[in-house]
Amino acid sequence: MAEVNINHVGKTFENKTEQTTYTVFEDIDLHVKSGEFVSLLGPSGCGKSTLLNIIAGLDQASSGTVLVGSKEVKGPGVDRGVVFQEAALMPWMTVLDNVMFGIKKRYSKEEARNKAIEYLKLVHLSKFIDSYPHELSGGMKQRVSIARALAMDPEVLLMDEPFGALDEQTRSMLHKEVQYIWEQTGKTIIFVTHNIRESILLSDRIVLMGVRPGGIINIFDVPLPRP
Ligand code: ADP
Ligand code: ADP
């Protein structure tokens, strides 16, 4: 677990062929406490994925810095596990091998296997470790992708519309799953969604992102009371 500090982060996309630029946001300051569950909520196109990708190190900020703990983000790293809308599992590998794949260089085969099994158990997929992705439902695939992200032992779990492609019933099952994971692991979670119910249900705090003319972001912080 670590805190995430986003300091004065801006992102401008440059289109070199048309010689135009588009500023998605400027000067975002966001401080996520260790173990906190924060949603980034806002309409499509406001820059949620862009911000999450910058935290993940998959995209570069045009200005500002992102710190995870005391370490500045320079690129992807094992301290940040990412879950996307599409699970993108490797279809020729079993569930277990998919989860082991990303960690096999860091651990012995035995350790990697044990870790993968531990996290597949956490997402209630113990019975499916030898199955192939095509044998699983959409919700189960997403649970594998969560186990894969957690097996890296990240400080922070980053989720980009992880349940956006799922039906309502599967989605509410996965909400329970995420709440359970958060209770069990105490991870810092940053969760991108455009679904207000989902953000209220899951998070400690909602960071509302909006767009103003010119593409500059408006950001509001909404803390939620917890029982
Ligand atoms: P959200 O996740 O909130 O839907 P995005 O972060 O995907 O928003 O996109 C924010 C804005 O940045 C959108 O207007 C989008 O078209 C633009 N954008 C995203 N990625 C790129 C890119 N690679 N090049 C140019 N513009 C981009
Ligand atoms: P979502 O709404 O699910 O976040 P988008 O459809 O906005 O996804 O974007 C999908 C991909 O296309 C992302 O990788 C994003 O960076 C890229 N993208 C989005 N808008 C643009 C754009 N205007 N120019 C180039 N790439 C873009």
Side-chain angles (χ1 to χ4, degrees), residues 1-2 34-37 118-119 122-123 146-147 149-151 153-157 159 177-189:
M1 276 152 289
S34 181
E36 198 174 24
F37 192 144
E118 176 192 338
Y119 285 105
L122 185 73
V123 298
I146 294 170
L150 290 171
D153 281 331
E155 300 282 348
V156 184
L157 189 59
M159 305 179 99
E177 203 81 46
V178 167
Q179 281 169 318
Y180 177 71
I181 287 163
W182 186 50
E183 282 163 18
Q184 294 293 312
T185 65
K187 294 276 179 213
T188 309
I189 301 183

Side-chain angles (χ1 to χ4, degrees), residues 13-14 22 24-25 42-51 59 160 192:
F13 286 107
E14 288 177 36
Y22 180 69
V24 187
F25 44 70
S44 186
C46 73
K48 305 181 294 294
S49 295
T50 301
L51 183 57
D59 198 351
D160 191 353
V192 163

